[in-house]
């Protein structure tokens, strides 16, 4: 029994190590692991070329983190990966996709220090807007390693910061000349990635998705067409001619996994996805947009998919309203709105993280007691503390999500 107990403890330790050394896949996870991600504190300067600089720090999940300050570029913001990429392997959500890119060394300029030929590989990219501050925009990359490109409004452009992971062995082998080459190539990568979108692509990005709203479910959840094996909640003669006479009360457990919520609560993304699937339509619905979860009565769909499905979907939804009134009595029925302004759901954990980041970035002071007075002694600026003066944050010219203080209960 002793050996079994020891093996169990060892396995638990291995699992715990795996949990705490996993590389981040979202911007929030990056800031949780590295609160001073954008600060000069905790980073060592290793190379500088004018306004551009290369810094390094110990990586919490192994290896070494490199941070490149790539300067400011005139840009209208970063385009979503599924719009920008030549080949999208899988769309995970609006602003998140698995795309085919040149290999990891090409992404962050590391190819300048390697001799192997670039190959096309799958990379997961996630766009995040308005975090940790309004106007911020970032893309995280997960492939052979992990990294991110962060942009913050700066006058008429964006200040770019590039962060990525390398092994300790790689970093230790690089000479000062190689680090200068890396700084130059990483700056070029950051600037090209942030500005490579043509006006046509930016227009496509603005119109790629649309938001749907379902509200006024005052007498219970809406209905969906009944499956053959289901006992209908209600039947209506108006739907006989189109095969939609049988209707069943929607339940969150009807939803297929992957698009909507997974906590069992009602979410319009679940409802719209189920409603469309039972009509035989190809219409994926999502409960988040650009890394932000929406209020439960909204969902996001691709505009192209909606245009192909809208006629049958809208006609069926009108029949659903008749079935809803028949089942519940009265004149009340769910309302349906298309192409509305997205609204972000309140997130207490996100606000706590923002508050923590603000506290972490506050400059530290040393308190010196002299006789009966307290004096605050400012720390001397060393060669690593090179943060520019804080500038007024301006809203970028990109489609954002309006934060909402309360959530409508269905």
């Amino acid at each position: 029994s002793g050996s079994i107990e020891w093996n169990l403890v060892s396995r638990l330790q291995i699992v715990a190590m795996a949990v705490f050394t996993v590389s981040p896949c979202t911007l929030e996870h990056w800031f949780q692991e590295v609160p001073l991600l954008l600060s000069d504190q905790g980073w060592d300067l290793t190379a500088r070329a004018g306004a551009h600089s290369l810094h390094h720090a110990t990586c919490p999940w192994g290896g070494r983190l490199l941070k490149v300050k790539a300067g400011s570029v005139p840009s209208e913001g970063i385009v979503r990966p599924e719009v920008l990429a030549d080949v999208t392997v899988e769309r995970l959500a609006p602003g998140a996709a698995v795309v085919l890119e040149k290999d990891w060394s090409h992404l962050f300029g590391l190819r300048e220090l390697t001799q192997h030929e670039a190959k096309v590989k799958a990379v997961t990219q996630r766009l995040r807007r308005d975090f940790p501050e309004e106007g911020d925009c970032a893309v995280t990359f997960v492939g052979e390693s992990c990294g991110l490109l962060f942009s913050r409004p700066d006058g008429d452009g964006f200040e770019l910061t590039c962060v990525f992971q390398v092994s300790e062995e790689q970093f230790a082998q690089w000479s000062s000349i190689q680090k200068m080459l890396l700084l130059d190539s990483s700056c070029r990568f950051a600037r090209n990635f942030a500005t490579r979108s043509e006006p046509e692509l930016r227009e496509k990005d603005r119109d790629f998705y649309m938001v749907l709203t379902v509200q006024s479910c005052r007498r219970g959840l809406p209905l969906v067409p009944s499956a053959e094996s289901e006992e209908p909640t209600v039947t209506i003669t108006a739907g006989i001619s189109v095969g939609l006479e049988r209707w069943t009360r929607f339940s969150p457990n009807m939803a297929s996994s992957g698009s909507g919520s997974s906590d069992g609560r009602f979410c319009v993304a679940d409802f719209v996805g189920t409603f469309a699937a039972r009509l035989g339509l190809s219409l994926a619905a999502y409960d988040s947009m650009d890394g932000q979860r929406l209020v439960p009565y909204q969902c996001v769909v691709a505009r192209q998919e909606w245009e192909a499905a809208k006629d049958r979907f809208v006609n069926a939804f009108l029949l659903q309203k008749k079935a809803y009134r028949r089942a519940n009595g009265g004149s009340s029925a769910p309302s349906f709105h298309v192409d509305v302004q997205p609204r972000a759901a309140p997130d207490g954990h996100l606000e706590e993280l923002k508050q923590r980041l603000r506290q972490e970035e506050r400059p530290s002071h040393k308190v010196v007691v002299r006789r009966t007075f307290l004096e605050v002694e400012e720390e001397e600026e060393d060669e690593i503390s090179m943060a520019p003066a804080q500038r007024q944050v301006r809203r970028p010219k990109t489609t954002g999500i309006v934060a909402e203080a309360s959530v409508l209960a269905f």
Side-chain angles (χ1 to χ4, degrees):
S1 60
S3 60
I4 295 176
E5 183 176 329
W6 185 88
N7 288 333
L8 178 60
V9 172
S10 299
R11 289 179 182 179
L12 290 175
Q13 289 175 340
I14 293 173
V15 171
M17 289 176 62
V19 169
F20 288 106
T21 59
V22 64
S23 58
C25 60
T26 66
L27 187 62
E28 290 86 346
H29 192 180
W30 268 97
F31 277 104
Q32 287 172 352
E33 296 292 331
V34 191
L36 297 176
L37 188 67
L38 302 179
S39 173
D40 287 326
Q41 302 178 54
W43 294 86
D44 294 321
L45 177 67
T46 189
R48 180 190 292 279
H52 306 156
S53 56
L54 174 64
H55 308 254
H56 68 96
T58 301
C59 181
W61 52 92
R64 188 139 296 264
L65 285 181
L66 300 184
K67 177 167 70 173
V68 175
K69 294 184 178 181
S72 183
V73 295
S75 174
E76 296 184 9
I78 301 174
V79 173
R80 297 181 181 97
E82 63 269 36
V83 178
L84 193 58
D86 294 330
V87 179
T88 299
V89 178
E90 180 184 4
R91 186 195 308 157
L92 304 175
V98 180
V99 301
L100 292 183
E101 284 277 10
K102 291 183 180 178
D103 68 5
W104 194 255
S105 64
H106 172 83
L107 271 177
F108 292 99
L110 290 167
R111 190 161 57 94
E112 300 291 342
L113 306 182
T114 60
Q115 302 298 323
H116 61 81
E117 182 181 354
K119 297 180 180 179
V120 175
K121 295 184 179 180
V123 177
T124 300
Q125 299 182 14
R126 297 178 185 273
L127 180 74
R128 180 63 162 99
R129 300 192 197 274
D130 297 326
F131 183 84
E133 303 294 340
E134 185 177 357
D136 293 343
C137 186
V139 176
T140 59
F141 303 83
V142 177
E144 297 176 6
S145 184
C146 61
L148 66 89
L149 176 61
F150 187 91
S151 67
R152 174 160 286 177
D154 178 35
D156 292 329
F158 286 84
E159 191 76 23
L160 300 179
T161 302
C162 187
V163 182
F164 52 96
Q165 178 196 22
V166 298
S167 68
E168 291 283 6
E169 291 76 15
Q170 278 181 303
F171 185 75
Q173 292 172 1
W174 292 337
S175 66
S176 58
I177 294 178
Q178 288 176 310
K179 291 174 182 177
M180 288 296 294
L181 287 173
L182 176 61
L183 172 59
D184 177 69
S185 59
S186 294
C187 285
R188 282 190 281 110
F189 154 75
R191 299 168 75 87
N192 291 339
F193 193 96
T195 61
R196 64 179 176 172
S197 303
E198 301 296 331
E200 296 79 9
L201 270 180
R202 294 194 177 278
E203 183 177 356
K204 180 182 178 182
D205 185 49
R206 284 191 291 268
D207 295 334
F208 201 83
Y209 294 104
M210 60 189 303
V211 178
L212 311 179
T213 295
V214 177
Q215 292 178 282
S216 303
C217 303
R218 299 186 179 93
R219 292 177 175 266
L221 297 183
L223 307 178
V224 295
S226 300
E228 293 184 3
S229 59
E230 288 177 342
E231 184 69 26
T233 302
V234 66
T235 59
I236 55 171
T237 56
I240 293 178
S241 61
V242 290
L244 294 175
E245 69 273 19
R246 302 168 69 250
W247 294 85
T248 300
R249 184 80 63 185
F250 173 74
S251 173
N253 59 21
M254 293 179 178
S256 59
S257 59
S259 59
S261 67
S262 59
D263 54 10
R265 294 182 296 177
F266 177 70
C267 172
V268 163
D270 292 336
F271 167 72
V272 169
T274 302
F275 196 92
R278 294 198 173 194
L279 293 174
L281 300 174
S282 177
L283 183 65
Y286 305 91
D287 64 353
S288 67
M289 187 174 189
D290 300 336
Q292 291 183 274
R293 189 171 295 277
L294 302 182
V295 288
Y297 55 85
Q298 289 189 337
C299 69
V300 186
V301 297
R303 188 177 297 273
Q304 185 176 8
E305 292 183 2
W306 171 252
E307 291 298 327
K310 68 177 181 180
D311 289 342
R312 178 156 173 76
F313 190 101
V314 171
N315 290 334
F317 192 86
L318 294 175
L319 288 174
Q320 184 272 156
K321 296 181 72 167
K322 292 183 179 181
Y324 189 91
R325 295 188 183 104
R326 174 69 62 85
N328 298 296
S331 60
S332 175
S335 62
F336 182 77
H337 303 281
V338 177
D339 219 356
V340 300
Q341 181 75 8
R343 295 185 176 275
D347 189 331
H349 296 294
L350 204 59
E351 292 304 318
E352 290 177 4
L353 178 56
K354 289 181 180 180
Q355 184 63 30
R356 176 192 168 196
L357 295 178
R358 295 188 186 104
Q359 293 174 351
E360 292 278 2
E361 291 181 355
R362 288 175 183 170
S364 58
H365 302 285
K366 183 170 31 174
V367 178
V368 181
V369 180
R370 291 181 179 168
R371 296 184 181 178
T372 59
F373 297 94
L374 288 178
E375 297 181 7
V376 177
E377 182 177 314
E378 299 283 353
E379 290 186 353
E380 294 184 359
E381 185 176 5
D382 57 22
E383 63 174 354
I384 304 173
S385 300
M386 296 159 291
Q390 192 70 21
R391 303 188 183 185
Q392 180 68 29
V393 175
R394 184 177 67 84
R395 178 70 177 172
K397 299 175 183 178
T398 54
T399 302
I401 298 178
V402 179
E404 177 158 295
S406 59
V407 178
L408 178 66
F410 285 84

